[in-house]
Amino acid sequence: NQYTAEINSFQPKNAEELESFRIRFLGTKGIIKDLFEEFKTVSSEDKRVFGKVLNEFKQLAEAKYQTLKEGSETEDSGSKSEQDLTLPGEGFELGARHPLSLVRKEIIEIFKKLGFNVAEGPEVEDDWHNFSALNFPEEHPARDMQDTFFIKKGGEKGDIALRTHTSSVQVRMMEAGKPPFRAIMPGRVYRNEAISARAHCFFHQVEGLYIDENVSFADLKQTLFYFVQELFGEGTKVRFRPSYFPFTEPSAEMDISCSICKGDGCQFCKHSGWVEILGCGMVDPNVLENTNIDSKKYTGYAFGMGIERITNLKYQIKDLRLFSENDIRFLKQFQSEM
Ligand code: PHE
């Protein structure tokens, strides 16, 4: 009859349509129920035929309902576990090099071109390598608890502390080998300072050492001049101011013309047009003798710079704390840099 065709061709679009199908045919007031009511009224000889048709019809409706219901259920749960391969991909988050790593790499590349090797040493140092061999007098203020993180008192080579500069690596190098030496020492150093925009309890240095026969202050100046032209660009000016370090004599601090304001005055150069970027000098003969190098035969120069200071200048970063906070918004800005 008409209903058989309707049932066979029924295709619900959603769960509501399937439910109204159930109510229409199989519900307590549904068509099948009505037909069974009608069945009671037919004559007994018709009952055999009508009953058979009616039962088949009922089974058809129930079977159809059952398969549709099962189909919609597996479809629902299936959509969660099955991937829709036509969806666009999510893409990978690309990392960025840390600005300090970028600048360290750049500094190393420049000195490599001049024939400098790269040397490393321990961050936990003894007094000898960090201070005594470098000609620090016993009562020098840099040894004070204020600057140095001490780890252990006493020991064969004195107190154990976190190195305050990578000059300790220079000592290790001089002790271990024979001149000539030409190397730079990048690394992390520690100083007991209150953390602020301009100071931190750790920072990074690149120090350099060149020892050979007849090395002069002119060699030092030329090397640093070349370095600054490479790093900050052609035309960057340098100036040397007399200074003091226990391990160099004479000693100097080197300023460069401010790469940010080009001399017009800014916060980085404090309106002076110059920014200090490193300390340097001729290796004190006492240091050479301390490490068993003949100070009559050999001379040398040394220099040391803070990577943070140079990175601040290169990228106009005003707060040191940004380097160690791991704020993704800060770090992401270096994504385009190599
Ligand atoms: N070691 C010095 C410092 O940490 C820097 C320096 C290195 C100065 C070599 C002169 C020569 O401040």
Side-chain angles (χ1 to χ4, degrees):
N1 61 31
Q2 61 176 97
Y3 294 132
T4 313
E6 188 185 331
I7 290 168
N8 279 328
S9 64
F10 176 67
Q11 252 334 315
K13 287 194 202 70
N14 49 42
E16 282 100 84
E17 278 190 24
L18 182 61
E19 180 61 6
S20 38
F21 172 86
R22 188 190 66 79
I23 293 166
R24 181 163 145 77
F25 288 100
L26 302 162
T28 42
K29 287 180 183 134
I31 289 164
I32 289 166
K33 198 83 180 171
D34 286 350
L35 288 172
F36 272 95
E37 286 302 316
E38 213 179 311
F39 175 72
K40 289 175 189 163
T41 65
V42 300
S43 61
S44 42
E45 59 265 34
D46 286 341
K47 263 192 177 139
R48 269 190 57 217
V49 188
F50 190 51
K52 189 166 176 272
V53 173
L54 193 54
N55 266 322
E56 277 169 8
F57 179 60
K58 189 185 170 197
Q59 275 161 20
L60 174 73
E62 277 172 348
K64 177 80 181 184
Y65 175 71
Q66 217 49 48
T67 43
L68 285 175
K69 192 163 167 253
E70 277 161 21
S72 78
E73 273 165 4
T74 50
E75 218 172 81
D76 271 1
S77 58
S79 66
K80 284 188 196 93
S81 62
E82 249 175 65
Q83 280 189 7
D84 182 351
L85 297 176
T86 64
L87 281 175
E90 281 179 15
F92 293 99
E93 276 282 345
L94 211 56
R97 274 188 210 276
H98 194 282
L100 294 177
S101 303
L102 289 168
V103 172
R104 181 187 54 201
K105 185 166 160 267
E106 214 179 325
I107 295 171
I108 291 173
E109 292 303 320
I110 296 169
F111 282 107
K112 267 191 178 170
K113 285 197 264 182
L114 293 171
F116 283 78
N117 297 323
V118 177
E120 286 182 352
E123 291 182 16
V124 177
E125 258 308 357
D126 50 52
D127 180 277
W128 171 255
H129 290 98
N130 197 78
F131 295 126
S132 292
L134 288 160
N135 205 33
F136 276 82
E138 217 44 77
E139 69 288 357
H140 194 280
R143 294 183 186 217
D144 276 4
M145 298 296 285
Q146 253 137 53
D147 294 308
T148 308
F149 287 114
F150 287 99
I151 289 177
K152 214 174 89 191
K153 281 273 163 202
E156 204 186 310
K157 298 217 157 184
D159 301 340
I160 305 296
L162 294 176
R163 68 181 177 194
T164 59
H165 51 188
T166 57
S167 304
S168 55
V169 187
Q170 306 187 2
V171 176
R172 287 183 176 275
M173 184 176 219
M174 291 187 280
E175 280 178 339
K178 279 190 167 51
F181 300 109
R182 184 157 52 189
I184 51 171
M185 298 81 186
R188 182 175 290 180
V189 302
Y190 302 83
R191 289 184 198 178
N192 193 356
E193 294 197 51
I195 296 170
S196 72
R198 306 226 237 108
H200 211 294
C201 57
F202 66 80
F203 63 99
H204 301 80
Q205 281 190 325
V206 176
E207 294 213 353
L209 176 73
Y210 178 33
I211 295 175
D212 203 346
E213 291 176 44
N214 301 315
V215 176
S216 73
F217 202 92
D219 297 323
L220 170 63
K221 284 176 91 171
Q222 181 55 44
T223 301
L224 294 179
F225 180 77
Y226 172 80
F227 165 68
V228 163
Q229 306 306 303
E230 288 286 299
L231 193 65
F232 289 101
E234 208 77 25
T236 307
K237 294 196 213 74
V238 299
R239 81 177 180 190
F240 291 81
R241 286 177 291 104
S243 186
Y244 172 78
F245 299 103
F247 36 91
T248 46
E249 184 59 38
S251 304
E253 268 159 331
M254 190 181 82
D255 300 339
I256 60 165
S257 50
C258 184
S259 60
I260 291 169
C261 66
K262 306 285 176 210
D264 291 341
C266 72
Q267 271 176 286
F268 284 91
C269 62
K270 300 195 187 76
H271 301 277
S272 71
W274 295 96
V275 220
E276 184 201 318
I277 64 158
L278 57 79
C280 59
M282 301 306 291
V283 180
D284 193 300
N286 287 345
V287 176
L288 296 175
E289 295 300 331
N290 283 343
T291 54
N292 301 317
I293 293 169
D294 183 353
S295 63
K296 300 263 172 349
K297 188 172 175 196
Y298 294 104
T299 52
Y301 64 70
F303 56 86
M305 66 191 95
I307 303 180
E308 276 82 349
R309 161 83 53 116
I310 288 173
T311 309
N312 286 349
L313 272 178
K314 273 203 81 103
Y315 295 105
Q316 309 201 16
I317 298 162
K318 291 201 182 107
D319 194 326
L320 267 183
R321 290 168 292 197
L322 287 164
F323 292 128
S324 47
E325 278 168 352
N326 278 341
D327 187 331
I328 209 88
R329 294 167 300 179
F330 172 72
L331 297 172
K332 262 193 166 174
Q333 296 176 56
F334 301 90
Q335 232 161 21
S336 59
E337 307 286 304
M338 310 209 312

